[in-house]
Amino acid sequence: MAGVQPRNGWVIWLSLALGLLLSVSPLPEFMQIGRPLWVALILTYWVLALPHRVGMTTAWILGLAQDVLFGTLLGQNALILTLITFLVLSLHQRLRMFPMWQQSMVLMVVFGLAQLVQLWLNALTGSRPPTLAFVLPALVSALLWPWICAILRGLHLRLNVN
């Protein structure tokens, strides 16, 4: 690991920027409530694939960018993404060994916890009344995990990102 030169880091940042764009892209009104956590999904893949390159600092910077993009309280999404990254890094070795369906289940719990913290922060700031619909983005994101993982793994291997 000490002698490995980082290559093609632009792929990581480009995919994270795509996640930011997807998170603000317009959706029909009935699909808004189940909008996937695109940034969290892409960040989770890179944290699992390259934990030595993508970590808590990346999550914090990305969260601040998301705060500015959404116009939310500065640090709110940064806290959420850092929490997700911390949990994924804590479970890193186990998650890599799990089959895809178990990874999806664990990530649904991690994303659900993050959504719960998001709901709590929104209730504290008075932004939104608390509802149980906060679980839906975590469920949709867990269902999308195998496809996101397959697409990003293909990019990772094809472009030899390390």
Side-chain angles (χ1 to χ4, degrees), residues 17-41:
L18 179 66
L20 282 171
L21 287 175
L22 285 172
S23 67
V24 294
S25 64
L27 285 177
E29 189 63 37
F30 71 94
M31 291 176 66
Q32 284 288 2
I33 197 161
R35 177 183 289 276
L37 305 170
W38 292 111
V39 176
L41 279 167

Side-chain angles (χ1 to χ4, degrees), residues 76-94:
Q76 183 174 344
N77 287 312
L79 176 69
I80 300 301
L81 286 178
T82 306
L83 174 69
I84 290 171
T85 302
F86 172 75
L87 291 172
V88 169
L89 281 172
S90 298
L91 299 169
H92 172 257
Q93 294 296 330
R94 284 185 218 127

Side-chain angles (χ1 to χ4, degrees), residues 12 19-20 25 28 38 52 81 90 128-129 132 134 140 149 152 154 158-159:
I12 298 170
L20 282 171
S25 64
W38 292 111
H52 59 281
L81 286 178
S90 298
R128 177 171 94 181
L132 285 177
F134 74 90
V140 172
C149 191
L152 289 176
R158 180 178 295 245
L159 297 175

Side-chain angles (χ1 to χ4, degrees), residues 50-119:
L50 301 170
H52 59 281
R53 295 268 320 259
V54 180
M56 305 283 273
T57 306
T58 306
W60 184 259
I61 291 168
L62 204 59
L64 288 177
Q66 207 171 12
D67 288 330
V68 171
L69 195 61
F70 293 154
T72 58
L73 186 65
L74 195 63
Q76 183 174 344
N77 287 312
L79 176 69
I80 300 301
L81 286 178
T82 306
L83 174 69
I84 290 171
T85 302
F86 172 75
L87 291 172
V88 169
L89 281 172
S90 298
L91 299 169
H92 172 257
Q93 294 296 330
R94 284 185 218 127
L95 270 174
R96 289 181 63 133
M97 298 296 289
F98 287 164
M100 194 58 68
W101 69 272
Q102 282 181 334
Q103 284 182 8
S104 292
M105 296 303 282
V106 170
L107 289 178
M108 182 174 63
V109 171
V110 168
F111 294 152
L113 285 171
Q115 287 297 101
L116 185 61
V117 171
Q118 180 92 23
L119 181 73

Side-chain angles (χ1 to χ4, degrees), residues 125-145:
T125 59
S127 301
R128 177 171 94 181
T131 64
L132 285 177
F134 74 90
V135 180
L136 202 52
L139 178 65
V140 172
S141 298
L143 291 174
L144 285 174
W145 173 249

